[in-house]
Amino acid sequence: MVAVVLFIALFLAVLVLLVVVGYLFSPRRPSETKERRFEAGGPPYGPVQRRLLMQYFGYVYLVTVVEAAVGLALVAVLTADAGRAALAPLAAALVVAIAAVVAVVWRYFKLLADVRRWG
Amino acid sequence: MITHLKLFTTAVKQLFQPPLTVRWPEERRNYGDRMRGFIVNDRSKCISCQLCEAVCPAKAIKFHLEADGRRYPGIDWGRCILCGYCVDACPTGSLQHVNNTEIVWTDLDVYKKPSEMDPDDAAPLPATKSLI
Amino acid sequence: MDFPSPLSGDLVAALVFPGVLGIFGFLVVAIWLERKLVARVQWRYGPLYVSRPLGGLLQPVADLFKLVFSELVLPRHTNRLLFAATPILLFFAEGLPVVFIAAAPGVVMAPHSYGLAIAVVLVLLVAVLMVAMAWTEADKFTYIGAMREILLTAAYEVPLLLAALAMFLLYGTADPHKVVEVQSGLWGVLLNPLAFVVYLVALLMATTRFPFEIPEAEPEVVLGPYTEYGSTLFIYAFGANYVKLYVLSLLGAVLFLGGWLPAAGVLGVLITLAKMGVFVLPAMLVRAIYPRYRIDQALRIGWGQLLALSAAAVLWSLLAAWIW
């Protein structure tokens, strides 16, 4: 526990110290231009030139669902009892879960991966 | 999979090639004796005819008045494209190329002011580390 | 343990390797190695003039000094406190998973029976901070970079988790010591090569190495999520990915390459360090090899080949556990 606290304290201290040193000892010549946004980074205006494809939200939706399933599988695997007898139900559950994930992805993959449908 | 392995083996093979880059100024590349390098003016031959100024396509050459009451060509190396037209146009052969192609300066002010085309300026820079 | 008397294993882990010194040392070595390797593949010299006898190894240190002592500009349109804090938090959070990973028997800060699983989850959590950082900067390029980061995370998260799941299934534990113990006969990379391949590709995606260097694609979005930063904060924003590479290589060395085997103590730490190279060297070299994928191509790889491969890896592990 001492080691963890030491690590966190030292790591954060070094990180903050470097910033403070830079802030205190670097030469400073402030100007209005420096404090502005970088080049063309301002908020966009005028007619939209290119939209973000709606297709991508499908992937984000997919990951929120699938990740939860994989997380459950991880917990199940790590808390399972040792031995071949305990392996059978675990294996069956895993195979079903992964098969379900693969089936869903397989079914909608063509639709998701085809940019032309979404552009 | 095999394509990616091939890519990696190719990259690893390239790792052991000697570099092609020339570490100037320690290493110098030999360009031969007839390269068009610095252009210098021999003032004893110059007749101030201004043909070089007229022929210069980059408008790099300008004439300026010297203390002896005559006008001599000066060259702006930022504009010069080393085409050699001025050397060809010179009727007395006072303008000549020098075999030093490394048109570099260690001093910004020297570069900025129109060079007098003095042969001394065209000497190759010494191979010192301080240039980097 | 054969460490000098005032240092116990966990203190070595906290201070030297895989702790603070290791992280900053890796930053220097990795940046130098990347520049040098890419330069040599392209027939150049790479960094050379700073510390010529060392082949320019101190160039990143010189860059670090230059960046620390350059002016710290906090843009007017941002929340200044958050602007300064998020890169620090990001860099810190990227380094946090090493708390649970052992570099040699006893050289671990927090021995935990689910240590490696916690480390994997911590690695995946960091994308949130990257997005927070991009949001604080309030810049068009950082928004786009953050969006790409989210999508890339969506591409690699599931395969990475499945690869880890396959290995945990094989070993029956996530305790770093026991995981390495199980590998004393055969290394994990031989027990389940599919999971290793998936892990390697997911590592490239997670650290946005080259074929997947989409969030910070220079010709498209300047520097992506860290466009606005300069000075020390730029080191953190930019170096965070290298820290992630460090963490994932360490995790990979323990999961797939038998960690500190066949030694222990100081030699074990060195062996772990050497095995990390198996992950680090390809990750450095890809910059010279690949062009950049489009974001939809990366997503297609993640949810196509990579998902299929990782599902196969889990099934392989199930079969192997059945037979073993």
Side-chain angles (χ1 to χ4, degrees):
Chain A
M1 206 58 218
V2 181
V4 176
V5 173
L6 193 69
F7 170 70
I8 290 175
L10 192 68
F11 196 15
L12 270 182
V14 169
L15 292 182
V16 174
L17 187 78
L18 280 180
V19 175
V20 171
V21 162
Y23 192 71
L24 291 182
F25 296 109
S26 60
R28 217 174 300 173
R29 205 189 292 170
S31 77
E32 201 266 337
T33 324
K34 275 185 196 169
E35 299 198 338
R36 265 191 246 148
R37 266 196 192 86
F38 179 80
E39 290 189 357
Y45 58 89
V48 178
Q49 289 182 348
R50 193 183 250 182
R51 291 186 180 83
L52 186 70
L53 297 184
M54 287 299 285
Q55 166 199 21
Y56 294 138
F57 285 99
Y59 287 112
V60 175
Y61 179 68
L62 210 56
V63 82
T64 48
V65 178
V66 171
E67 204 185 9
V70 177
L72 277 179
L74 261 175
V75 173
V77 165
L78 287 178
T79 52
D81 303 323
R84 195 173 277 197
L87 193 64
L90 181 69
L94 273 183
V95 167
V96 169
I98 288 176
V101 167
V102 170
V104 169
V105 173
W106 185 277
R107 170 70 181 77
Y108 294 105
F109 187 62
K110 272 223 173 86
L111 182 71
L112 273 176
D114 189 357
V115 191
R116 284 165 302 172
R117 287 197 185 209
W118 299 91
Chain B
M1 195 73 194
I2 288 167
T3 323
H4 294 285
L5 280 180
K6 264 187 196 163
L7 286 172
F8 269 93
T9 46
T10 311
V12 171
K13 265 184 217 157
Q14 302 304 317
L15 268 180
F16 300 104
Q17 295 277 346
L20 279 177
T21 330
V22 175
R23 279 186 297 170
W24 193 89
E26 291 155 39
E27 295 172 21
R28 305 291 174 110
R29 197 167 269 174
N30 183 16
Y31 294 102
D33 295 334
R34 289 165 60 79
M35 280 296 287
R36 291 173 177 171
F38 268 105
I39 298 162
V40 296
N41 187 21
D42 182 356
R43 291 197 174 182
S44 60
K45 288 189 193 166
C46 185
I47 54 170
S48 308
C49 64
Q50 305 199 352
L51 272 176
C52 47
E53 184 182 15
V55 81
C56 182
K59 293 196 172 63
I61 296 181
K62 291 275 185 296
F63 273 70
H64 58 276
L65 196 62
E66 285 283 317
D68 60 357
R70 288 179 55 191
R71 289 173 192 279
Y72 291 108
I75 192 161
D76 179 355
W77 288 112
R79 303 192 70 131
C80 179
I81 54 174
L82 297 175
C83 62
Y85 282 13
C86 48
V87 177
D88 294 345
C90 187
T92 63
S94 85
L95 284 182
Q96 288 296 334
H97 277 298
V98 174
N99 192 27
N100 176 20
T101 50
E102 289 156 0
I103 317 286
V104 284
W105 288 264
T106 50
D107 191 350
L108 190 63
D109 295 331
V110 179
Y111 161 75
K112 273 182 179 167
K113 83 164 203 262
S115 164
E116 309 275 315
M117 300 170 121
D118 190 354
D120 294 342
D121 291 347
L125 287 171
T128 51
K129 274 184 191 173
S130 62
L131 289 174
I132 295 295
Chain C
M1 294 313 308
D2 46 356
F3 292 111
S5 59
L7 285 174
S8 57
D10 54 347
L11 284 183
V12 169
L15 299 177
V16 186
F17 181 79
V20 180
L21 197 67
I23 289 173
F24 285 102
F26 180 80
L27 205 60
V28 170
V29 173
I31 291 174
W32 170 78
L33 196 67
E34 174 162 33
R35 292 182 59 183
K36 202 77 183 171
L37 281 181
V38 172
R40 293 315 300 270
V41 172
Q42 294 166 349
W43 298 9
R44 296 183 284 116
Y45 282 96
L48 185 66
Y49 284 96
V50 180
S51 74
R52 188 179 294 224
L54 296 174
L57 178 61
L58 296 184
Q59 178 70 49
V61 180
D63 288 346
L64 189 126
F65 270 102
K66 182 200 76 184
L67 278 169
V68 167
F69 289 104
S70 62
E71 185 179 350
L72 186 67
V73 180
L74 301 172
R76 198 163 9 97
H77 61 274
T78 56
N79 181 325
R80 292 162 69 92
L81 179 67
L82 279 180
F83 185 84
T86 39
I88 299 178
L89 281 178
L90 176 71
F91 195 90
F92 173 72
E94 299 273 26
L96 203 55
V98 296
V99 168
F100 297 99
I101 309 173
V107 187
V108 57
M109 281 170 247
H112 196 283
S113 50
Y114 299 127
L116 294 183
I118 300 173
V120 171
V121 173
L122 282 177
V123 167
L124 292 180
L125 273 179
V126 171
V128 176
L129 279 169
M130 180 72 105
V131 174
M133 185 179 85
W135 172 75
T136 328
E137 285 168 85
D139 184 305
K140 191 169 74 188
F141 299 119
T142 64
Y143 283 142
I144 299 173
M147 198 61 219
R148 291 174 173 210
E149 180 77 31
I150 294 170
L151 292 172
L152 200 60
T153 311
Y156 75 78
E157 233 173 45
V158 172
L160 184 65
L161 273 176
L162 281 176
L165 176 75
M167 296 326 281
F168 293 150
L169 191 64
L170 207 53
Y171 304 141
T173 171
D175 185 329
H177 291 107
K178 283 181 191 152
V179 161
V180 173
E181 216 172 88
V182 176
Q183 294 177 73
S184 53
L186 265 181
W187 287 0
V189 58
L190 298 173
L191 292 174
N192 195 339
L194 291 181
F196 178 75
V197 172
V198 172
Y199 186 85
L200 196 58
V201 178
L203 178 142
L204 292 180
M205 278 193 178
T207 52
T208 62
R209 304 315 301 178
F210 221 79
F212 309 106
E213 201 215 28
I214 298 161
E216 53 250 23
E218 256 176 84
E220 295 159 24
V221 286
V222 191
L223 273 177
Y226 30 91
T227 301
E228 292 277 343
Y229 283 110
S231 186
T232 323
L233 296 178
F234 176 75
I235 304 175
Y236 298 158
F238 181 79
N241 269 331
Y242 287 88
V243 180
K244 200 179 205 174
L245 177 63
Y246 172 76
V247 170
L248 281 176
S249 328
L250 186 62
L251 186 66
V254 172
L255 265 185
F256 292 99
L257 302 177
W260 50 87
L261 291 176
V266 180
L267 192 61
V269 171
L270 292 179
I271 286 175
T272 314
L273 205 55
K275 280 176 181 173
M276 279 169 69
V278 173
F279 296 93
V280 175
L281 285 178
M284 302 281 102
L285 214 51
V286 284
R287 180 169 284 272
I289 299 176
Y290 288 107
R292 189 182 289 118
Y293 279 125
R294 280 197 319 267
I295 183 69
D296 64 296
Q297 287 171 326
L299 279 162
R300 193 156 33 167
I301 289 169
W303 284 99
Q305 290 106 312
L306 216 51
L307 182 73
L309 213 56
S310 51
V314 174
L315 296 182
W316 175 308
S317 280
L318 273 176
L319 273 179
W322 192 259
I323 295 162
W324 198 7

